[in-house]
């Protein structure tokens, strides 16, 4: 998911295999979070960095390979990702500085967060959030 703290609050992308049903009123029971080894954490951290790099550099084909088929279809396939990348770049510009990257959990789901400053959004940050499923 792509959002800014404050000004740019519209969600733009729920990506990388996030079950959309988990974000509706018909939420399934949450599973107990699996504990991650140090190697697992390093792997997911690197995966989040890779997906972010692909998104910010326009590599929609590469990004699509990591997405759940149902989510990819809902995003409009690779063409939908390309369109979204263009919309985001038009609104916030190019990233000028990365301010934070971390793994976290929300509602039991493992997530990677990337925060950065962008050329057309002075004084605010944009956060890219990748939600990982099983």
């Amino acid at each position: 998911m792509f959002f800014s703290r404050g000004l740019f609050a519209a969600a733009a992308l729920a990506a990388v295999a996030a079950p959309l049903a988990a974000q509706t009123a018909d939420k399934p029971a949450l599973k107990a979070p699996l504990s991650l080894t140090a190697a697992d954490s390093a792997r997911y951290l690197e995966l989040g960095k890779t997906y972010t790099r692909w998104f910010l550099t326009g590599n929609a084909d590469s990004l699509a390979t990591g997405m759940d088929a149902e989510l990819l279809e809902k995003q409009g396939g690779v063409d939908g990702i390309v369109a979204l990348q263009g919309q985001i770049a038009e609104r916030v510009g190019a990233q000028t500085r990365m301010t934070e990257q971390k793994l976290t959990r929300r509602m039991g789901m493992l997530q990677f967060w990337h925060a950065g400053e962008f050329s057309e959004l002075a004084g605010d940050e944009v956060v890219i959030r990748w939600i990982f499923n099983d």
Side-chain angles (χ1 to χ4, degrees):
M1 188 170 282
F2 211 142
F3 64 95
S4 169
R5 295 178 185 151
L7 180 63
F8 188 67
L13 180 65
V16 186
L20 296 178
Q23 303 202 13
T24 68
D26 301 327
K27 293 180 183 175
L30 295 177
K31 295 180 193 176
L34 299 174
S35 57
L36 297 177
T37 65
D40 291 337
S41 292
R43 184 171 58 90
Y44 281 110
L45 189 62
E46 191 57 40
L47 192 57
K49 290 176 183 180
T50 298
Y51 289 157
T52 301
R53 183 177 61 254
W54 287 343
F55 185 79
L56 293 175
T57 59
N59 292 315
D61 288 340
S62 297
L63 186 57
T65 64
M67 296 177 80
D68 176 90
E70 181 180 342
L71 178 61
L72 182 59
E73 183 179 329
K74 288 183 181 196
Q75 290 294 326
V78 172
D79 290 340
I81 296 171
V82 169
L84 181 59
Q85 288 169 320
Q87 291 168 6
I88 298 299
E90 185 177 313
R91 289 183 114 168
V92 301
Q95 181 172 279
T96 56
R97 184 170 81 94
M98 187 274 298
T99 57
E100 180 180 25
Q101 293 184 108
K102 67 180 180 180
L103 282 179
T104 189
R105 287 191 187 270
R106 288 189 79 191
M107 298 174 55
M109 297 183 73
L110 182 63
Q111 300 181 15
F112 171 83
W113 289 42
H114 171 100
E117 296 174 357
F118 285 72
S119 61
E120 300 300 317
L121 200 60
D124 209 351
E125 292 181 320
V126 173
V127 175
I128 302 169
R129 181 174 64 158
W130 302 107
I131 304 169
F132 298 103
N133 70 0
D134 298 337

